[in-house]
Amino acid sequence: MAQRLIVVGGDAAGMAAASQARRRRDRSDLEIVAFERGHFTSYSACGIPYWISGVVPERDQLIARDPATFRADFDIDVRLRHEVTAIDLARREVVARDLDGGGEVREPFDELVYATGAVPKRPDWADPEVRGVFGVQTLDDASALRAWLDAEPAPRRAVVVGGGYIGVEMAEALIQRGLSVTLVEQADQPMATVDPDMAALVADAMRGIGIDIRTGVEVTGLDERAGRVSAVVTADGPLPADVVVLGLGVRPDTALAEAAGLPIGLSGGIRVDRRMRVPGVPGVWAAGDCVETLHRVSGLPVHVPLGTHANKQGRVAGINLGGGYATFPGVIGTAVTKVCELEVGRTGLRERDAAASGFEFVSVRAESTNRAGYYPGARTMTVKLIAERSSGRLLGAQIVGWSEAAKRIDTLAVALWNEMTVDEMTALDLGYAPPYAPVWDPVLIAARKAVDALHQG
Ligand SMILES: Cc1cc2nc3c(=O)[nH]c(=O)nc-3n(C[C@H](O)[C@H](O)[C@H](O)COP(=O)(O)OP(=O)(O)OC[C@H]3O[C@@H](n4cnc5c(N)ncnc54)[C@H](O)[C@@H]3O)c2cc1C
């Protein structure tokens, strides 16, 4: 008799796991049911800012595979608009509510993949009765925002609350749609994922495209008129708004897991081993934004909610529960984003992470250009490197530059992953031609500067 796999959450991690399991085990061996409470499966939340801006014209371009495709090509029974409300490990069954039909179903499982993602932080002042305030966590959220932006009277003034990469990308999207945009951030800098000196370059670029950035400002409430948001109230006074977008970060969605007794780690994510098994709970796997993982540089458990990890972790879980062998070896915190033409990349530890982890380190910043200085389109690029003082090992890197900057972080990520020293990096055989780099690539210039700093120290 076939075993049953139940998947909770039908996006990146959940459906990657389901598809990989199916590739290894056919229906006579494994029946697969995936519950998704929203209207979509396997969509790119990462693409939401670009659909909101209009760069990606159609919402459905963000959907990689819909339920019909999963049914036809993978024999996976996807149940949209079904919210799993309980996991009973003793009886090995889940309870799911049909959000449209109203009924409740109980489904038994032999294997379970928990892939519920993350919950956006929603502040107390975000009164759900006030219309015009949106998160952008799911495609359903984005659809609601898009409908509000497209409706008459068209909103003209937007306030984005939170200056993380999602807030920054959304601010850019709204500027591109022609709204006036204010971004409010409680901390002293936007883009807390990079050091303050690098974040200052990002803030300058944002101001350059017309985004009004207010840092060190706390939002305390909303003003409304006839049930529609009219202003965001801050300690510095009200900011008029016809639409508010929340980008305040996320936490792992572990409510069901906790209720079922699955182990929660120090970072707040579900604990998993390298094969994405939940330790001590046979047949239960977890992957994606709901889990914690190992930071390979600090050695600490961390919660890094990124699609790149969710896809890989889901794949690993699916291969293993399909009878194969795969591991997820942890992360080093590589991420890229952009604000208009300005590109931002980061990997490894920031200065404050390195200090908190007990490293003694040097950090250097090198300015050069993306192409040979004489070649048309040459623009500034700033590379920052953080290296361990005693060994010279690279601990972290950040890049901000006008073009061809973001993906250069991958070179640094590979060096960091392989524990290279900055001295070794100075000899890296990187490609050179005037349209692509100066004769000394910005990465090599920064490595040389780091070596100098180590020798001086
Ligand atoms: C605007 C935005 C931009 C982003 N940009 C990037 C980027 O550029 N690069 C990058 O690497 N990452 C990016 N991310 C992050 C990336 O989208 C997530 O890391 C990724 O989607 C996580 O996949 P997941 O499957 O773990 O969770 P999710 O994609 O959140 O999927 C979880 C699914 O589970 C469903 N669910 C939850 N609970 C239940 C339940 N009880 N019953 C049934 N269904 C349930 C949810 O409806 C959801 O569809 C971005 C995210 C956002 C929001």
Side-chain angles (χ1 to χ4, degrees), residues 260-284:
L262 302 187
I264 305 299
L266 289 174
S267 73
I270 299 167
R271 276 180 44 220
V272 286
D273 67 13
R274 285 176 161 245
R275 296 182 72 187
M276 307 314 294
R277 294 179 290 211
V278 177
V281 195
V284 177

Side-chain angles (χ1 to χ4, degrees), residues 42-129:
S42 289
Y43 55 88
S44 169
C46 315
I48 287 173
Y50 310 106
W51 173 54
I52 295 295
S53 69
V55 167
V56 176
E58 300 296 333
R59 181 190 67 192
D60 288 357
Q61 290 177 267
L62 302 186
I63 300 171
R65 287 194 189 114
D66 61 12
T69 310
F70 278 116
R71 253 177 231 116
D73 296 354
F74 291 85
D75 215 341
I76 295 171
D77 176 6
V78 178
R79 314 245 183 110
L80 285 186
R81 301 289 291 151
H82 277 71
E83 180 169 41
V84 174
T85 53
I87 298 168
D88 187 336
L89 290 176
R91 299 168 71 130
R92 293 193 87 73
E93 65 180 23
V94 299
V95 182
R97 194 169 57 222
D98 178 347
L99 296 175
D100 294 329
E104 194 173 86
V105 291
R106 287 178 171 268
E107 291 286 353
F109 65 83
D110 300 290
E111 308 275 351
L112 179 88
V113 171
Y114 191 97
T116 52
V119 194
K121 292 178 189 157
R122 226 175 147 96
D124 293 341
W125 51 258
D127 179 352
E129 298 298 311

Side-chain angles (χ1 to χ4, degrees), residues 347-358:
T347 190
L349 305 181
R350 297 164 298 187
E351 285 178 352
R352 61 176 173 277
D353 306 318
S357 297

